[in-house]
Amino acid sequence: MNTLKKLLYIVPFTGLLFASCTDVEKIEVEHIGGYNTIGDCEYYQNLRAYKATANNYGRPVAFGWFSNWSPAGAYRKGYLTSMPDSMDIVSMWSGAPNRFKITPEQKADKEFVQKVKGTKLLEVSLLSYMGKGRTPDWVYEEVEKKGEEEGWGESEIELQKKLARWKFWGFEGEFESENHYESLARFAKALCDSLYTSEWDGYDIDWEIGSGVFDMDGTLSTNQHLIFLVKEMNKYIGPKSDPEGKGHKLICIDGRMSGLGELDGYVDYWIGQNYGSHRPSISSPDGHPERYIVTENFEQYAVSGGGLLDQAATMPAKGYKGGVGAYRFDNDYNNTPDYKWMRQAIQINQQVFNEWKANQSQSGSEE
């Protein structure tokens, strides 16, 4: 049995008052292969209620890209269950396997974090061509088999793979045609359908076009392509799929966000890569700071924390930011205590929001 210290924050919710940041609740937890067998209890019910206060931008979130998902063995860095409980949204940088490829250990680890702790887990991909991550393996395997039989070179095999992919998605090769966008619409639906069948909580689009991406084939290589894709995705997931705000699978975009203001209302969170910055600019493409998450790079700054704590304390000139997080934040597990910087950032993130909200209430009462 391991004694885990759980932190909660002052957040009123339907009559519940959570313990303060300095209050510590000790919970006895038994771990078997990464699966937390404690079941449900009042602590986790309160934790899920706290998570729900972030719905519809009720407060800033704690976010991160998780890069070493391997929930097996005694070393617990690779377990999602080892993350701080107050993580709201996690993007699966090390992969979000579908229901046919996920291991039993991953499935147990994933389900406990989602269903008991209430953390949202997103699939993430550096989108650069239509079909990425959704083209069946057999499409490429048939090309490779034929190429081996006929003695094709590597360049010919790659060309034929591309053409086979286009054929699978119904793209006839004429860019910017009606057929091109019809094919993108099919891809958008496939992206969303898989989230439901494999039970992921949303999709994080890493949009790096123009930043050295080398696998583009012209089918998804402009802002206009992305705008169309995201609007199509909103037929199934994202804020437009949920006009009453009752709950939906998320759409997030990180990377290069310039020129995407047309997606106002179609994106849940814009995730800035504010790496190395102690005073990040909170500038959402759609003009809504509460949808903008600032992040640090823990591939580089996990030991020192970089600018994460300053980012957590940063607020926009008007309103409040969407949250704070880090790239490869699981590297923070190696600090003492584990997740040293992320735990502090979560507290600061909520503290500055609570102070802002208190000032708003005071200003309203004075008027």
Side-chain angles (χ1 to χ4, degrees):
M1 302 289 286
N2 298 320
T3 300
L4 302 184
K5 295 182 178 181
K6 312 295 184 180
L7 300 181
L8 290 175
Y9 307 91
I10 299 177
V11 183
F13 179 72
T14 60
L16 296 175
L17 185 65
F18 292 91
S20 74
C21 302
T22 56
D23 194 16
V24 175
E25 179 174 333
K26 294 183 179 180
I27 296 179
E28 294 297 323
V29 178
E30 183 179 1
H31 295 289
I32 300 176
Y35 182 61
N36 188 327
T37 60
I38 191 172
D40 211 351
C41 65
E42 184 179 1
Y43 169 78
Y44 287 120
Q45 292 169 14
N46 289 345
L47 181 64
R48 292 194 300 273
Y50 164 72
K51 299 288 180 72
T53 62
N55 293 346
N56 301 314
Y57 311 104
R59 61 167 174 81
V61 298
F63 168 83
W65 286 280
F66 196 95
S67 63
N68 292 284
W69 190 29
S70 53
Y75 182 52
R76 300 195 58 80
K77 177 181 179 179
Y79 289 75
L80 294 172
T81 46
S82 293
M83 301 184 301
D85 284 357
S86 295
M87 292 299 299
D88 292 290
I89 303 171
V90 173
S91 222
M92 300 299 295
W93 188 250
S94 54
N98 64 39
R99 61 194 176 99
F100 301 109
K101 295 183 178 181
I102 194 169
T103 68
E105 293 81 9
Q106 286 176 323
K107 186 174 187 291
D109 192 45
K110 168 181 176 289
E111 288 186 351
F112 192 86
V113 167
Q114 288 176 304
K115 297 178 180 179
V116 179
K117 293 188 177 184
T119 301
K120 296 183 184 299
L121 302 179
L122 310 183
E123 180 178 357
V124 57
S125 179
L126 199 165
L127 284 187
S128 50
Y129 59 82
M130 180 174 59
K132 192 167 187 178
R134 293 295 187 270
T135 304
D137 292 341
W138 62 261
V139 173
Y140 299 126
E141 290 168 356
E142 287 185 353
V143 172
E144 290 172 348
K145 181 180 179 181
K146 187 174 181 180
E148 183 177 351
E149 292 172 348
E150 299 185 8
W152 294 348
E154 184 177 344
S155 59
E156 180 65 21
I157 289 176
E158 291 306 311
L159 172 62
Q160 293 303 321
K161 281 184 178 180
K162 180 185 73 173
L163 295 177
R165 179 173 67 244
W166 287 3
K167 182 179 180 180
F168 177 82
W169 293 102
F171 177 50
E172 298 170 357
E174 185 178 347
F175 296 106
E176 309 306 325
S177 65
E178 182 178 350
N179 167 255
H180 182 183
Y181 286 95
E182 287 173 348
S183 301
L184 280 175
R186 282 190 283 272
F187 178 47
K189 187 176 188 303
L191 286 173
C192 301
D193 286 347
S194 294
L195 298 177
Y196 284 97
T197 58
S198 299
E199 297 185 334
W200 297 101
D201 299 303
Y203 200 87
D204 172 12
I205 298 170
D206 186 11
W207 188 242
E208 306 281 355
I209 301 302
S211 301
V213 179
F214 298 109
D215 62 351
M216 295 182 293
D217 66 0
T219 56
L220 185 53
S221 58
T222 70
N223 276 1
Q224 199 55 44
H225 294 161
L226 178 65
I227 289 168
F228 177 85
L229 185 80
V230 171
K231 288 184 176 181
E232 283 293 314
M233 292 175 72
N234 267 264
K235 293 179 179 178
Y236 317 104
I237 68 172
K240 291 292 186 180
S241 70
D242 180 30
E244 296 181 1
K246 293 182 178 180
H248 58 270
K249 293 187 184 297
L250 305 178
I251 294 179
C252 301
I253 296 179
D254 70 86
R256 297 176 66 89
M257 297 180 284
S258 177
L260 298 177
E262 188 179 333
L263 288 176
D264 183 7
Y266 291 88
V267 176
D268 289 285
Y269 287 102
W270 304 90
I271 307 170
Q273 297 175 356
N274 313 99
Y275 302 163
S277 174
H278 288 260
R279 295 183 178 179
S281 173
I282 300 174
S283 180
S284 173
D286 57 16
H288 298 279
E290 71 276 9
R291 300 176 188 170
Y292 188 89
I293 299 173
V294 296
T295 65
E296 182 54 284
N297 181 5
F298 271 20
E299 185 171 74
Q300 183 175 1
Y301 298 112
V303 175
S304 68
L308 183 67
L309 301 189
D310 290 332
Q311 291 183 6
T314 299
M315 290 284 271
K318 293 183 179 180
Y320 56 95
K321 67 179 180 292
V324 68
Y327 172 60
R328 301 192 67 184
F329 79 104
D330 48 296
N331 287 335
D332 193 16
Y333 179 86
N334 295 329
N335 289 316
T336 304
D338 58 271
Y339 288 105
K340 168 185 176 180
W341 301 115
M342 201 68 211
R343 294 181 191 279
Q344 293 181 61
I346 292 170
Q347 294 182 45
I348 295 169
N349 190 37
Q350 296 306 316
Q351 178 184 344
V352 296
F353 170 71
N354 290 338
E355 291 171 353
W356 173 84
K357 191 163 63 170
N359 289 336
Q360 295 297 112
S361 299
Q362 184 176 358
S363 299
S365 63
E366 289 176 353
E367 292 176 1

